[in-house]
Amino acid sequence: MTSSIRFTVLSVLATLLIPITASADMFTPSHSCRKPYKPYEFQSKYEVETFNNDVKRYKECISDFVEEQDEASKKHLEAGQDAIEDWNKYVKYELN
């Protein structure tokens, strides 16, 4: 079997065998952070402090979301690399 045919067969099999849990990752996640709205004019020092605290919480929420997405992408990258390694071992030791 030529390598291009092997790759095509592998691609078709991989598509057919995708677990249902993997299909959940086909949707792009979005954050649920609520951004604070700055009033046209602050009426008191309390309003300024409240707004600044809300901005801080918004930034932390966004940062947490980005960190979670970075971790998830690392896990997906590792899973892909593991799959490539499994394929390469199979070709090297089973097909040759």
Side-chain angles (χ1 to χ4, degrees):
M1 209 185 281
T2 66
S3 62
S4 63
I5 293 173
R6 271 191 226 137
F7 181 74
T8 303
V9 170
L10 175 67
S11 298
V12 171
L13 288 174
T15 303
L16 295 173
L17 298 174
I18 294 175
I20 292 172
T21 55
S23 65
D25 290 331
M26 292 180 178
F27 300 100
T28 304
S30 61
H31 70 84
S32 59
C33 305
R34 291 179 39 169
K35 67 180 178 179
Y37 291 97
K38 184 178 179 183
Y40 179 73
E41 183 178 331
F42 290 105
Q43 301 297 318
S44 68
K45 184 177 179 182
Y46 174 76
E47 282 185 352
V48 173
E49 290 172 358
T50 301
F51 176 75
N52 288 337
N53 287 335
D54 291 345
V55 169
K56 181 180 175 184
R57 275 192 293 278
Y58 180 58
K59 179 182 178 186
E60 289 171 355
C61 181
I62 294 290
S63 295
D64 290 345
F65 175 79
V66 170
E67 186 176 320
E68 289 171 10
Q69 298 309 305
D70 285 345
E71 286 299 316
S73 69
K74 288 176 188 174
K75 289 179 183 178
H76 288 240
L77 182 60
E78 287 175 14
Q81 290 170 341
D82 290 346
I84 291 169
E85 186 177 324
D86 287 346
W87 171 251
N88 289 336
K89 286 178 183 177
Y90 174 74
V91 169
K92 183 175 181 178
Y93 298 112
E94 300 290 329
L95 297 181
N96 292 324

